[in-house]
DNA sequence: AGATTAATTTAGGTTAATCTAAAAATAGTT
DNA sequence: AACTATTTTTAGATTAACCTAAATTAATCT
């Protein structure tokens, strides 16, 4: 049996380590889960004993294959529930995360498969993050940060890095959504701000904090 | 803050005490929750301290108004989720209970209200049990046990008392569902079995164990 | 290298929820 | 009323998940 807390630790290790490809630090996990490093050490030992993690003291943690499978499953559930909340229950993209944090721990394979079907097998959640399939595999896209788009380049908004409510509401206010076309009108060296045009209409200036938290898929120049 | 465990105890007290109208025994709770009486005593003290229950040692427990509100809310969530699972996710009525036991603890008012809307404000769950409204009020129906129907009387099946998977599957096998019309063809004094006719077609003999776990709404004789 | 700083682990404790075994109160029975 | 059986409570332990403070190891900087 795997506890809710263990699931959260495993998920954290998975996400901090870029879907389980890197080793993760004790402090990193502690910060992500808002707990203390000493608690993390305890838990990480337990995860290693249970076969979910690889751990040698002072050397950081990584997930075993089994651990990765569990993590992908929790992430899959989290993101499918987020889609459900937005598509079926009229939630906005800034409202879904906390509820999905709870729902991701519900245990029922049939439940999640039927949910997947009800939603017509979505590949991405409301924030543009990919949804792992039943095997835990993730289709990765070649998205880049808006900040890395050159002057006059165009891109389609495909995701957000920061999923905080305040950032998402900022985007709403400026009518930036997934699928919006963004053109870099000009860049300002001084403060790294840039002027962008959204869907060929609105033109606004955005800070580098914004540009560094929006993922776009670059489009060929016309 | 109220914990998942506290919610389960409160719900148990509510249901064992007929929607909070009666006092409940320590052993009753222990049996319902599959725990020990000593654990119940501890928890019940805590619930009393927190203002959710009335408790004097050796005198049994009942819920305060606040406790009843919490209980009704958990039951409301449980039953709405059961409807969701059956109506939207293709579950059968014998599969939903355990998952609803998990889902009933998800905390989000908007979630449950939107779910209610999505399901078009159902009044009963898949087992015929009433769904409390937002205020915790329950519309109670005048259902009786099939066992109490006289010979030649007719009734419509409106609920089940035993919601075990084996009983529900038994009903499925004999094509008895909510809404089925049942006529008592004859009763056998010797073993309290009875012969019934279902929807005017199938005629079968059922034991008193079955008749005592099926709720019907009696129909006027024609 | 040696010293200082930062990261990590260990040691020892706390809290919620559980348990077993024993004591106390209540209920049932002669 | 006295005895017996049942129910309930108390006492004392255990486990998971935390925490603080101290010790240890690793990393960084003269
Ligand atoms: Mn999320
Ligand atoms: Mn998301
Ligand atoms: Mn149920
Ligand atoms: Mn039910």
């Amino acid at each position: 049996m795997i506890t809710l807390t263990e699931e959260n630790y495993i998920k954290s290790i998975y996400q901090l380590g870029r879907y389980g490809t890197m080793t993760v630090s004790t402090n990193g996990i502690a910060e992500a889960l808002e707990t203390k490093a000493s608690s993390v050490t305890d838990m990480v030992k337990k995860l290693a004993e249970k076969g979910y993690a690889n751990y040698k003291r002072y050397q950081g943690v990584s997930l075993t294959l089994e651990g990765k499978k569990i993590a992908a499953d929790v992430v899959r559930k989290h993101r499918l529930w987020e889609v459900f909340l937005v598509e079926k229950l009229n939630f906005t993209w800034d409202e879904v995360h906390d509820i999905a944090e709870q729902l991701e721990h519900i245990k029922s394979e049939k439940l999640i498969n039927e949910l997947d079907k009800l939603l017509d097998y979505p590949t991405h959640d409301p924030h543009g993050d990919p949804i792992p399939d039943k095997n835990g595999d993730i289709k990765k896209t070649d998205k880049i940060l808006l900040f890395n788009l050159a002057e006059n380049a165009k891109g389609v908004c495909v995701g957000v890095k920061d999923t905080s409510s305040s950032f998402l509401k900022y985007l709403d206010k400026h009518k930036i959504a997934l699928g919006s076309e963004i053109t870099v009108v000009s860049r300002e060296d001084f403060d790294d701000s840039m002027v962008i045009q959204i869907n060929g209409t609105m033109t606004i200036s955005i800070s580098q904090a914004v540009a560094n938290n929006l993922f776009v898929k670059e489009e060929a120049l016309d």
Side-chain angles (χ1 to χ4, degrees), chain A:
Chain A
M1 239 294 110
I2 185 158
T3 68
L4 182 148
T5 310
E6 286 167 357
E7 282 189 347
N8 281 334
Y9 273 92
I10 290 172
K11 184 180 62 155
S12 237
I13 297 167
Y14 183 70
Q15 292 186 316
L16 291 170
R18 302 236 186 84
Y19 295 108
T21 56
M22 294 168 47
T23 268
V24 168
S25 78
T26 301
N27 271 347
I29 299 169
E31 197 185 351
L33 294 178
E34 298 182 89
T35 95
K36 301 291 156 151
S38 55
S39 304
V40 174
T41 301
D42 282 351
M43 179 56 83
V44 143
K45 280 181 191 167
K46 188 164 57 142
L47 294 179
E49 257 169 33
K50 287 195 169 191
Y52 306 136
N54 309 114
Y55 169 68
K56 283 205 208 78
R57 35 212 271 293
Y58 295 104
Q59 301 304 128
V61 209
S62 63
L63 293 176
T64 61
L65 258 183
E66 197 182 350
K68 265 183 244 181
K69 181 71 182 69
I70 292 167
D73 221 62
V74 173
V75 169
R76 170 172 160 79
K77 288 192 273 184
H78 182 105
R79 293 180 179 166
L80 280 174
W81 279 116
E82 285 191 344
V83 174
F84 171 73
L85 292 172
V86 167
E87 296 293 318
K88 302 292 180 184
L89 296 191
N90 307 115
F91 279 76
T92 53
W93 66 345
D94 59 297
E95 297 175 318
V96 297
H97 182 77
D98 290 348
I99 303 175
E101 283 293 308
Q102 301 178 59
L103 288 163
E104 72 189 5
H105 301 292
I106 303 293
K107 281 166 189 58
S108 165
E109 219 175 305
K110 176 165 183 178
L111 171 58
I112 207 65
N113 289 336
E114 288 291 335
L115 193 62
D116 196 19
K117 189 203 288 183
L118 177 73
L119 301 171
D120 206 16
Y121 310 104
T123 58
H124 296 270
D125 81 1
H127 312 105
D129 291 315
I131 299 174
D133 66 21
K134 281 187 208 187
N135 308 312
D137 296 327
I138 288 178
K139 182 167 54 171
K140 60 165 54 116
T141 49
D142 48 347
K143 63 190 178 189
I144 58 172
L145 288 172
L146 173 55
F147 187 77
N148 297 319
L149 266 195
E151 231 172 53
N152 295 316
K154 277 184 184 174
V156 174
C157 175
V158 295
V160 291
K161 189 167 159 198
D162 176 1
T163 57
S164 71
S165 188
S166 61
F167 182 54
L168 297 175
K169 281 178 169 156
Y170 169 91
L171 296 178
D172 285 344
K173 187 161 66 185
H174 295 290
K175 301 272 184 292
I176 300 172
L178 298 195
S180 298
E181 191 189 59
I182 294 175
T183 312
V184 179
V185 176
S186 66
R187 305 188 55 127
E188 182 58 65
D189 277 352
F190 170 62
D191 63 354
D192 283 324
S193 71
M194 55 203 284
V195 173
I196 62 171
Q197 191 177 44
I198 303 155
N199 286 327
T201 54
M202 301 281 283
T203 299
I204 61 170
S205 167
I206 61 173
S207 69
Q208 63 83 26
V210 172
N212 265 320
N213 279 297
L214 248 195
F215 288 118
V216 294
K217 189 167 178 177
E218 189 164 11
E219 288 186 326
L221 286 176
D222 32 23

